[in-house]
Amino acid sequence: MITYMVCNLPWMLGSIACTPSGTSVRAKRIVVSSTFFVTIIPLVYFFIQHKVHRIPGAYTCYSFFEWGLIFFDILYDAITEQEYREADLQVFLGPKVLTVPNMPPVQGQPMESVTPDGVATEKITSPNVQDVNRNQTILNLFPLNLSGMRPALSFLSDVYLSYIFWSIFTSLIPTLFYFSVWELGLAGQELALLSTLSPVFLGIGPLSRWAQSRDGQTTLHLMECLGLLAFALGSPVLRLVAVASAAAVAVLRQVAKWSADEGREWLTVSLGCLVAALLKQFNHSNNPLWPFVDNKKIVYNAAGLALTFIAIYETHTRPTTISSTPAKEKAKVQSPSVPSWFTAALPLGSLLFTIHNLVSDPSTLIAWSWTGYQNGVPRGPVPHLHGALTLIAQCAGLFVPILLVPSNAVDLLTHPVWFIFGTLSTYIMYMYRNWTGYAGGLGLALFLMSITPIVLGRAVHAAKGGAIKVFGVAMGVYCLFNLASIFTVAYAFVPGGVYFRERTDCVLIAQMACLALAFRWSQVNSQPLLVEMIPSKMTLSFSRALVAVISILSVLGTLYRWPSSPSRPWKSGPRIFNAGIWTVHFGIDNEGRDSQQGITNLIRDMQLDVVGLLETDLHRTAFGHRDLTRVAIEQLGYYVDIGPGPNSHTWGASLLSKFPIINSTHHLLPSPHGELAPAIEAVLDIYGTKVTVVVAHNGQEEDPLDRELQSQEIARIMAASHPRPLVFLGYVVTKPHAERPAPYKFLAEDGKVHDIDEEDEDRWCEYIFYRGLYRTSYARISRGSITDTELQIGQFALPKHGTGVTNETRPARYLRSHKETLPEHHWFPMEYYGDENQGGVNGHFYHVFMTPLYYDLPENAVL
């Protein structure tokens, strides 16, 4: 069904684009196709109600809308009969001779520009003979049936190359922050961010003129490909050099393109951003062409490079276009005065950062609003389900100037009322949570995309007085906002960070203050959109179609990635479950690549029913706005609580569960000095019994007061749920049995829990505690190349429903055993026996004890 709907997109939209405007056939096709695509919305809704929520009768409603699509599809095709009839088609027997004049006009003589309706509307000067011959030669390179599609191919090439720009531009910061993560502070490689200041070199006249030429653009495009080829480099240092060089070239080329095309690039740049966000949604929140994505998926990079070379070839061989802006229309619009370079640069820098930071991934705004579960259902939107709404809001925002540009009404978007709308949306997004906060985020997404032509238009116009000042300062503002936003959470590791601690509100205020300079607060700074910035009618038509396609594909992508079956525990019969804790180091492995798939593979092999993942808040420019839970959700089928969002200023904690999450609460543990510590308190329905799971990440040993206060708060949370069964999965930085104020005894004694194995003295940061359960196994798996911390797993058996643990004495809890004396469903995988030299899987093996530890159940245990 998804393939059927996707295939209808090019057919219906292409047929409408090829139908002459103003005809009844075109009107009917627009009405029927619109009805067809609108019907998809309730179709998707009832599909989810049937497939996910198992609502009786939902499939019946779904089938009505499914047959409705077929009806509208047939009705759409039936309109073709009217088109044939009105065209008065005739069939001839024998050869048909068609005479086409091919003599070019005399050089310098005027020729009429003819509209699709055949009406001469204006006169423009014909190109010289050399240009005509060159264009004819270029067209001859393409087959006859392909040359007629050249405008569409040119449009798609521009959008694709814009997507390549965004891919390289957004890959720079995650590539360089690999070094910051491992140093836990400034490592020096952060200076690579300054490569985005390359537009300052456009102050060199010959370089600027060359960069704006066709040959210059082609050469720079080819140089950008170094950023796409960087995936093949094994060294993180070499990869950073390649990406930083490519980013410098990409920004310089893009700025030169903006200046050369009088800012008409605002449309393709915006569409490229939407395409990048769409592909991230399809690819588990990873851009498939990022150089630090899993290098085993070489097919993505190879296909991306091939398409890039084809698009570059198309742009280089593209026929020279003839300016068709009527002189009368130019005369109607008075050329506005050149705005101040300073007031034009600040909004552009702020807009680039805000788009990158908030809407470059569809799930980022959801992470800002997420608070967990209540009564078994999420309190707000879910990243892997509702991210399509963010893309639709962005598409709607871009659709606004596309509609207003032809009527020269785009200046309405500079009115202060529109800025107030954007400011209120930002306030709601920051101050509120769940659906209310997300609604504010959607308003902000719409606002940001709608003002792109205004902000870029002012910058391009101001650059006529000096591009180096406008674009150099704009990129400088972009860099400063990046550093400020990262310092709000990394304040404990950077000099002067105390002044940025948790000040995301100040950063947002500064962003909006910079954007305010682009609005019409008085007639003095009123800058109407230049006629030269208005795209052609054909480009606007293609853009409307592509915006619609992106919106629909975002919904279909959600359906495609949706798990095909409800979540089930790995071993549902014996009432046992495996719980693990893993600090995944921001999803960056030891080689500087994304580690989502490697994390998922080990979780699958160990059959973990409950997983606590730490250092998972990646919705920042430094980490690529990724969601580390996405692959596990889609491939293995988990319920997920992604934990406190980026506006909570923590490094993040997430909970994956094969069991339904009844309720979950996010805690920010006391942190007067060091980094903020997150915790998730969740109640799971495990085989019909409510079990509390606590996932927490305490501060480091450098802040003893923080550790003491955080440990006391965690102990209070665990004690408050006593005597309910509980599993604690956390990072606490303490030696086993350490005296207070170290965290160990706060947790074990005040929290009323047992250590999973108090005889394991070789521990420092990760710990598992439990109560009200029978612990049957304990394993420690080496980190491999995934992260810098091991995976710890505890296996627990649940007492019979309505009963509790019959004997919690120490001898009853430490009946050590061998796996052979236990049923096989208690065993961990045999493939992971080994050491650093041999055995194991992908560098993971049972270490410390070189085997999992197994425990017998007390004789009177009731299961």
Side-chain angles (χ1 to χ4, degrees), residues 130-146:
Q130 289 86 347
D131 286 343
V132 172
N133 292 337
R134 179 180 184 277
N135 294 344
Q136 188 62 43
T137 301
I138 292 172
L139 289 175
N140 288 339
L141 295 177
F142 293 86
L144 180 61
N145 61 338
L146 190 60

Side-chain angles (χ1 to χ4, degrees), residues 36-101:
F36 178 90
F37 292 123
V38 169
T39 305
I40 295 177
I41 299 175
L43 177 84
V44 171
Y45 172 78
F46 285 110
F47 176 81
I48 294 176
Q49 294 299 308
H50 161 70
K51 193 71 174 179
V52 179
H53 302 295
R54 307 293 181 180
I55 303 298
Y59 188 78
T60 301
C61 297
Y62 164 80
S63 63
F64 286 136
F65 288 105
E66 184 180 29
W67 282 103
L69 289 182
I70 298 174
F71 171 77
F72 291 126
D73 186 19
I74 296 174
L75 182 61
Y76 182 90
D77 293 337
I79 301 174
T80 307
E81 186 275 336
Q82 179 184 347
E83 186 177 32
Y84 288 165
R85 177 164 34 84
E86 292 180 354
D88 194 20
L89 294 180
Q90 299 181 30
V91 178
F92 292 89
L93 296 177
K96 181 180 179 181
V97 180
L98 178 64
T99 303
V100 179

Side-chain angles (χ1 to χ4, degrees), residues 107-131:
Q107 179 179 355
Q109 294 299 317
M111 64 179 181
E112 291 184 336
S113 174
V114 183
T115 68
D117 297 329
V119 180
T121 58
E122 55 178 294
K123 291 186 177 182
I124 57 178
T125 303
S126 65
N128 56 42
V129 175
Q130 289 86 347
D131 286 343

